[in-house]
Amino acid sequence: MQDFPPRIATFFSGSDDAPTPDPDTRSPVAFLRWVVGQQKALIALSSLCYSLWFLPMTLGPWIFGRAVDQGVVGGDEAALLGWAALLLGVVVIGGVFGVVSHTLVVRSWLVALYGTLEMVTRKVAQMGHVLPRRSPTGEVLSVASSDSDEFGAFTEIVARATGQLVSYLTVAFIVLSMSWELGLLTLVAAPVLLGAALPLLRPLHRRQQLERSRTSDLTSMATDIVAGLRILRGIGGEQTFGANYDRQSQSAKEAGVGAGIWQAVVEAVGVLLSGIFLVALVWLGTREVESGDLSVGELITFLGYGLFMVGPIRTFFEFAQKGVRSLVSARKAIAIFEQRPPWRAPAEPVALDGSAALHDSSSGLTVRPGILTVVVSAVPEQSSALADRLGRYLPADTEPVPAEDDDDTKGRAARRARAERARERARIAALDEEKARRDWGVTLGGVDLARADLDDVRRRVLVSDTSSQLFAGTLQDAVDPHARLTREQAEQALRVANAEDVYDALPEGWQGQLEERGRGLSGGQRQRVVLARAVAADPPVLVLVEPTSAVDAHTEARIAERVAETRRGRTTVVTTVSPLWLHHADHVVLLHDGTVVAEGRHADLLAGDDDYRRVVARALDAEEVVR
């Protein structure tokens, strides 16, 4: 049985030989049931080992009581030795299975933790750019980190509580056979004490939801700040965003303190009620010894079981607490995992011709094949939206909906708020599906992109924009993630992007490690490595959005010249207002309000079109200053 690393193949995309069934997202309880069901054999084995680990505490008091009655009080030395040997055997069994149970339960915890992390990864890969339209980045990160740990803790407590339940029932049977009064007290103590603490679980649940929501918002804020730190420094916005982060962190701290207070109250009630149970058991047992209904050994047995029963009762309290936390996490996870990509494969997909003309009906843009076309716009967002359409990406025109708002609503108001958020997510999903289902309005060789397989579109048209990221790994992985290039081809891609300095700065060269998001590199270095990756892919149609916005003019001039030379004979679209690119363009297109209003060669437009001249004038002035 290989269950670690967990083999997770949920959210099937056609690339898996044996896909795993998707998680049950109908409700938080159904999701947790699915999580436990994924490793039911391992959890059952862990529960059995837990039961055997608790064997000395389950049978020990009874064996000890029999040894006292027969060996000490009765004066039978052989019986005393026999019971002592039996107790030793039980202790050895408990010790062995204590090690085994701990090993198994840690394994179960890790399977649930890393399994959830892998599911998040697969869901992000399946949804792609669609997921940020629906769910905040912080929510996704929190599910992958803190919530995955909660699911691991839940599988552990399920196994431990099951083992404790078996021991609890065994002890109750033994005690009932000795005294029905004390046995009944032992049997009903756990459910009665647990029921007395249940009213405290609802406010605990609510506080933990609030803590989870504010922590998720804090994670999103931190991610955004780190991603834009250089820009913030450039505009002097560090203090403003730092103050906002400080306020949000204080809010998260207050929510955490509130949740901790209620957690402490629940635990304190558990200790108090367990102590009351133990006192009642000792008092009743002593009364029965005085009346002659119990022997001294049986009283010792009852006292031992009284001390032991504190353990199962506290475990049941812990099960309730971790169950509440897991329900909170499950609700967050469902908001991510229930999302479905809007794309549907056409009934009869048509193959695309990457060497044909590319046409966008919304703007009127026609990209002739085999040439370098530069798109100029006074509003960068309009040219970025055009690039998204050319690559068949949904526009960034929606606000993601969190699983829970940062409020303290409860009861009916909370249910209404959750229902409203669910309706909003459903609305966005329906909007995405409607956009993806109809004709896209962009054709390649006369074939609308909606009539082709999405994988075929991605192979033919590659869009590299300013949001493209680097992942942790080697420089070779960053430039050639699919390991398709020779050493010479990879070096050529770096040279085209003028990124040789990144190679030189890493002690291990191609095997030098890059941090997540390329931290440790300058903004210009990151941008050039991303460009090298796009050039190395060598797609039939390459769309670059502001590919040199973070480099100096001399570097930009070299990159523009090298890209134009390398991509000669293949279709390339660059959105920029930089004259250094415009000088190398075979064709230039001017956008106004998202529509093509002029096109031609750079020199002709500069001489004869006032609107074009106004758009590029500032860039021309900047170029003269650099010279």
Side-chain angles (χ1 to χ4, degrees), residues 587-610:
H587 190 69
V588 179
V589 174
L590 175 63
L591 287 184
H592 180 69
D593 289 337
T595 303
V596 175
V597 295
E599 53 186 314
R601 296 191 62 82
H602 169 58
D604 298 335
L605 291 172
L606 195 61
D609 192 294
D610 292 338

Side-chain angles (χ1 to χ4, degrees), residues 459 462 476 479-487 489-490 536-538:
R459 284 192 297 267
L462 189 153
Q476 183 175 355
V479 176
D480 182 22
H482 300 290
R484 297 170 178 168
L485 304 181
T486 64
R487 175 71 173 267
Q489 290 172 324
D538 195 27

Side-chain angles (χ1 to χ4, degrees), residues 231-244:
I231 298 176
L232 293 176
R233 285 176 174 171
I235 63 176
E238 291 177 271
Q239 291 185 347
T240 300
F241 280 82
N244 291 338

Side-chain angles (χ1 to χ4, degrees), residues 76-160:
D76 188 343
E77 185 175 349
L80 180 61
L81 292 176
W83 289 114
L86 179 59
L87 183 60
L88 177 63
V90 168
V91 169
V92 170
I93 292 174
V96 170
F97 280 97
V99 175
V100 175
S101 63
H102 182 73
T103 302
L104 291 176
V105 82
V106 169
R107 188 182 190 90
S108 173
W109 189 315
L110 293 177
V111 168
L113 191 156
Y114 287 103
T116 304
L117 178 59
E118 189 169 349
M119 282 197 298
V120 172
T121 303
R122 291 182 63 89
K123 173 54 69 173
V124 171
Q126 181 195 45
M127 297 295 294
H129 74 289
V130 179
L131 187 58
R133 289 171 52 84
R134 305 181 185 177
S135 300
T137 303
E139 289 283 0
V140 179
L141 293 175
S142 294
V143 171
S145 55
S146 59
D147 292 325
S148 62
D149 190 58
E150 293 293 345
F151 300 141
F154 183 71
T155 61
E156 183 273 337
I157 193 61
V158 166
R160 181 151 52 93

Side-chain angles (χ1 to χ4, degrees), residues 118-293:
E118 189 169 349
M119 282 197 298
V120 172
T121 303
R122 291 182 63 89
K123 173 54 69 173
V124 171
Q126 181 195 45
M127 297 295 294
H129 74 289
V130 179
L131 187 58
R133 289 171 52 84
R134 305 181 185 177
S135 300
T137 303
E139 289 283 0
V140 179
L141 293 175
S142 294
V143 171
S145 55
S146 59
D147 292 325
S148 62
D149 190 58
E150 293 293 345
F151 300 141
F154 183 71
T155 61
E156 183 273 337
I157 193 61
V158 166
R160 181 151 52 93
T162 302
Q164 289 274 33
L165 179 61
V166 172
S167 299
Y168 173 82
L169 295 176
T170 302
V171 168
F173 174 78
I174 293 174
V175 174
L176 277 172
S177 65
M178 297 169 58
S179 169
W180 71 267
E181 290 181 347
L182 297 183
L184 186 61
L185 174 63
T186 305
L187 187 62
V188 302
V192 169
L193 299 183
L194 188 61
L198 283 178
L200 300 174
L201 297 181
R202 186 178 297 276
L204 173 63
H205 185 192
R206 190 163 59 249
R207 292 290 180 178
Q208 289 175 343
Q209 278 184 320
L210 186 61
E211 176 196 13
R212 172 63 175 74
S213 177
R214 292 184 179 177
T215 302
S216 175
D217 292 343
L218 188 65
T219 303
S220 295
M221 184 178 292
T223 302
D224 293 340
I225 291 175
V226 171
L229 188 57
R230 285 183 173 84
I231 298 176
L232 293 176
R233 285 176 174 171
I235 63 176
E238 291 177 271
Q239 291 185 347
T240 300
F241 280 82
N244 291 338
Y245 184 84
D246 181 64
R247 284 194 296 271
Q248 182 63 31
S249 64
Q250 291 300 315
S251 177
K253 185 193 77 171
E254 291 173 3
V257 170
I261 290 173
W262 279 102
Q263 180 104 16
V265 169
V266 172
E267 292 182 358
V269 169
V271 173
L272 174 64
L273 297 182
S274 299
I276 293 175
F277 160 73
L278 181 59
V279 170
L281 189 64
V282 171
W283 182 74
L284 289 175
T286 305
R287 292 280 303 272
E288 297 219 358
V289 170
E290 289 179 344
S291 63
D293 294 331

Side-chain angles (χ1 to χ4, degrees), residues 12 24 80 93 98 170 184 244 301 396 429 528 547 581 600 607 619 621:
F12 180 62
D24 190 341
L80 180 61
I93 292 174
T170 302
L184 186 61
N244 291 338
T301 298
R528 284 179 282 139
W581 280 97
D621 292 341

